[in-house]
Structure formats: structure tokens, C-alpha cells
């Protein structure tokens, strides 16, 4: 078993971005700028946004964090997004999900200028992805692709099973793995909550991407020996013995599954850091595209 170390691979990408940003600044070009919007007081969301903003600063990317109360009316958020769309200083806009119930996720995603949509959630970017054309790819699946590339993992001709059909992870992941190219050419099965005989599908897979959000769902008896396992899950599970009062659990029962795999991502330190690296890559890309 070999670890797909997202912390290490993510750091290598972030170091490369830092060099590219420094080079831009030395040439007198504009510093990339990410505007991140956080609404309310969800602990996990605050942690994720904090990590994204910190990673930006370390890479030399300017970031602005806009934090609003959870009763923010939808129209005020849409107005803010509109002003960020029109702000030539801002290259990338990110609205952390989930949103409070008075705000429609679709309205927010549609309001972001596709050229600044570094999360890759806008239908224009999702459509470009479907067609295999350049656009912003959602950070989690993009990060997984970068991780597979970094470790030279062969995917062509393999059976891939993606568990979870969200627009953020599962669905774009299934598209990327089935595309022609270095980290594609898989035969993909997209499983979800209504899939019959889920364990049987997983047992057939050479590559498993677990993104269902159920801690330790994937067990050793579901895994074909030698398979590649990517764990997207990151659930906070109560644990009074921890200082924070919780621990992070993936969707894969790592201790029993890992010995069977050829490659596996740990949680934490696997997909999470790659998601951040991919977001920075998208933000740099958004800035570079303005130079053209
Ligand atoms: N919530 C969970 N994952 C994400 C993500 O990748 N981007 C945003 N904006 N919100 C999220």
C-alpha cells in the first residue's frame, strides 16, 4: 500500500504557484485576488474558509474575507456578488456552502461571473467540463486529478466507481475520470443513495472515489485487492478525548481498507489539502486569463 499524500503534493503545487505569483509581481503585473464570502457561524465552514484564506496569503495571493451574519437577506448577497463581479481588482469569487435557508444556492451560483467562478459551480463552467473544454473545474475533483497526476497513477481502462452524485464532487469527478487524457479513460459507474447492491459495485472497482459523507462507510469486504481508494469524506465525529471535542473521519474505514489497496488517500491529509491547492490554481488561472 502506498499513500497518496495530499499534504505533500498540495504543498508542491502551492510552492509552484508562489513562484509564479512572485514572478508576476517582479514583472509589475497584478497580484491575484480571491474574495471569499462566509455567511453565518458554521464551525466547519469557518475552518475551511480560514484555511483557504491562509493558503492564499502563503502563496502570495491577495484574499479578502467577507463575513456576514446568518440572517443576511438573499438580495444583499446577490448585490455584493454583483459588485465583486464588477470589481476589476478581484479575480476569483468564492461563496462557502452550505448557505442559510433564506438564500437560494442556485441563485448565488448563477450570480457569480463564470470568469471569476474559481469554485467551478456555475453552469457555464460545468457545461464546459461536460464538453471537455477549458474552464474552472470544481476544486475537490480537480484536486483529486492533480493528486493522481502528481503520483503518476495509471487510470486508463480501469473500472472507476464514484459514490455520491453531488454537483460539487461526484458528478464532475465521474466526468473527469471518463474523459480522454492522462488521468481519464476510465469506465465510470456513478453510485448514489438509490443504487442497488452498492457493495457489489464497489467490489468490482479498480478505483473507488468515496464522496457520500458517511464516516467509515467503505469497509475492507467491499474492496477489491490492489484497488486505488480516494476518500473525499471529512465528517466531524464527536470525541471527548480530543481537545477540539471532535475528530475527522473519512468515508473509508482506513485501518482495515488500507492494507488491501495499491494507493489510498488518508483523512486528514489526502483530498482536503489538494482541494485548497486546486482552488489556488484556479485563482491564479482566473488572474492569468485577464492578462490575455
Ligand atoms: N462547501 C463544501 N465544499 C465546498 C467547496 O468546494 N466550495 C465552496 N464554496 N463551498 C463548499
Amino acid at each position: 500500500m502506498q499513500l497518496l499524500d495530499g499534504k505533500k503534493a498540495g504543498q508542491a503545487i502551492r510552492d509552484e504557484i508562489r513562484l509564479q505569483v512572485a514572478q508576476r509581481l517582479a514583472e509589475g503585473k497584478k497580484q491575484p485576488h480571491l474574495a471569499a464570502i462566509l455567511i453565518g457561524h458554521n464551525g466547519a465552514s469557518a475552518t475551511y474558509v480560514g484555511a483557504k484564506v491562509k493558503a492564499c496569503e502563503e502563496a502570495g495571493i491577495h484574499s479578502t474575507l467577507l463575513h456576514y451574519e446568518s440572517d443576511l437577506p438573499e438580495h444583499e448577497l446577490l448585490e455584493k456578488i454583483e459588485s465583486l463581479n464588477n470589481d476589476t481588482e478581484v479575480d476569483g469569487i468564492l461563496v462557502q456552502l452550505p448557505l442559510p435557508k433564506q438564500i437560494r444556492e442556485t441563485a448565488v451560483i448563477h450570480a457569480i461571473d463564470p470568469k471569476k467562478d474559481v469554485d467551478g459551480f456555475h453552469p457555464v463552467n460545468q457545461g464546459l467540463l461536460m464538453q471537455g473544454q477549458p474552464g474552472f473545474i470544481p476544486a475537490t475533483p480537480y484536486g483529486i486529478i492533480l493528486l493522481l497526476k502528481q503520483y503518476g497513477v495509471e487510470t486508463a481502462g480501469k473500472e472507476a466507481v464514484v459514490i455520491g452524485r453531488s454537483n460539487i464532487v461526484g458528478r464532475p469527478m465521474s466526468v473527469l475520470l471518463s474523459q480522454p487524457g492522462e488521468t481519464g479513460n476510465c469506465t465510470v459507474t456513478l453510485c448514489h443513495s438509490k443504487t442497488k447492491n452498492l457493495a457489489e459495485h464497489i467490489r468490482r472497482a479498480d478505483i473507488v472515489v468515496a464522496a457520500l459523507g458517511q464516516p467509515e462507510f467503505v469497509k475492507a469486504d467491499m474492496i477489491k485487492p490492489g484497488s486505488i481508494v480516494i476518500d473525499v469524506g471529512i465528517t466531524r465525529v464527536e470525541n471527548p478525548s480530543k481537545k477540539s471535542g471532535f475528530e475527522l473521519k473519512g468515508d473509508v474505514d482506513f485501518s482495515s481498507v488500507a492494507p488491501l489497496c495499491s494507493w489510498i488517500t488518508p483523512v486528514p491529509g489526502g483530498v482536503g489539502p489538494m482541494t485548497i491547492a486546486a482552488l489556488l490554481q484556479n485563482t491564479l488561472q482566473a488572474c492569468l486569463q485577464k492578462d490575455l
Side-chain angles (χ1 to χ4, degrees), residues 203-266:
R203 228 173 267 128
R204 255 198 5 254
D206 304 306
I207 300 175
V208 179
V209 179
L212 69 162
Q214 283 192 40
E216 300 183 332
F217 176 88
V218 178
K219 306 281 188 205
D221 64 358
M222 302 176 187
I223 291 291
K224 179 163 85 176
S227 58
I228 299 157
V229 175
I230 310 292
D231 190 349
V232 181
I234 184 153
T235 307
R236 290 179 169 202
V237 175
E238 267 185 47
N239 184 339
S241 74
K242 301 274 173 191
K243 212 170 99 196
S244 59
F246 65 84
E247 65 181 315
L248 297 174
K249 292 248 188 237
D251 288 349
V252 176
D253 180 17
F254 185 88
S255 58
S256 72
V257 168
L260 297 170
C261 300
S262 56
W263 296 95
I264 186 166
T265 60

Side-chain angles (χ1 to χ4, degrees), residues 32-264:
H33 182 178
L34 174 74
I37 299 180
L38 173 65
I39 302 156
H41 300 276
N42 176 315
S45 288
T47 304
Y48 298 145
V49 173
K52 290 171 186 179
V53 165
K54 184 161 169 267
C56 277
E57 297 302 333
E58 280 170 16
I61 295 174
H62 181 49
S63 65
T64 305
L65 173 58
L66 301 160
H67 192 181
Y68 298 103
E69 283 305 320
S70 44
D71 61 355
L72 180 76
E74 181 185 280
H75 74 90
E76 283 188 25
L77 177 58
L78 296 179
E79 282 158 23
K80 188 64 220 171
I81 291 170
E82 187 56 22
S83 86
L84 294 171
N85 282 342
N86 294 327
D87 185 342
T88 53
E89 263 305 299
V90 172
D91 302 297
I93 302 168
L94 173 159
V95 180
Q96 188 67 24
L97 306 178
L99 295 167
K101 58 180 179 317
Q102 78 277 12
I103 301 178
R104 292 166 301 157
E105 197 175 289
T106 312
V108 170
I109 288 170
H110 288 210
I112 296 171
D113 180 346
K115 293 193 182 69
K116 298 190 179 189
D117 170 39
V118 286
D119 258 329
F121 295 166
H122 192 283
V124 165
N125 284 311
Q126 300 230 327
L128 290 168
L129 175 63
M130 275 291 295
Q131 298 191 343
Q133 292 179 48
F136 293 115
I137 303 170
T140 302
Y142 185 25
I144 293 169
I145 292 297
L146 293 173
L147 186 62
L148 295 172
K149 273 200 181 130
Q150 200 88 351
Y151 279 90
V153 175
E154 293 283 336
T155 57
K158 296 212 158 100
E159 292 280 339
V161 167
V162 178
I163 318 166
R165 58 180 160 185
S166 72
N167 287 339
I168 297 182
V169 185
R171 233 188 293 230
M173 191 74 239
S174 69
V175 172
L176 288 164
L177 286 171
S178 62
Q179 270 177 1
E182 196 190 339
T183 46
N185 286 319
C186 290
T187 304
V188 180
T189 306
L190 182 56
C191 297
H192 46 77
S193 54
K194 300 285 187 290
T195 297
K196 289 187 181 141
N197 306 323
L198 177 57
E200 271 174 39
H201 287 288
I202 302 171
R203 228 173 267 128
R204 255 198 5 254
D206 304 306
I207 300 175
V208 179
V209 179
L212 69 162
Q214 283 192 40
E216 300 183 332
F217 176 88
V218 178
K219 306 281 188 205
D221 64 358
M222 302 176 187
I223 291 291
K224 179 163 85 176
S227 58
I228 299 157
V229 175
I230 310 292
D231 190 349
V232 181
I234 184 153
T235 307
R236 290 179 169 202
V237 175
E238 267 185 47
N239 184 339
S241 74
K242 301 274 173 191
K243 212 170 99 196
S244 59
F246 65 84
E247 65 181 315
L248 297 174
K249 292 248 188 237
D251 288 349
V252 176
D253 180 17
F254 185 88
S255 58
S256 72
V257 168
L260 297 170
C261 300
S262 56
W263 296 95
I264 186 166

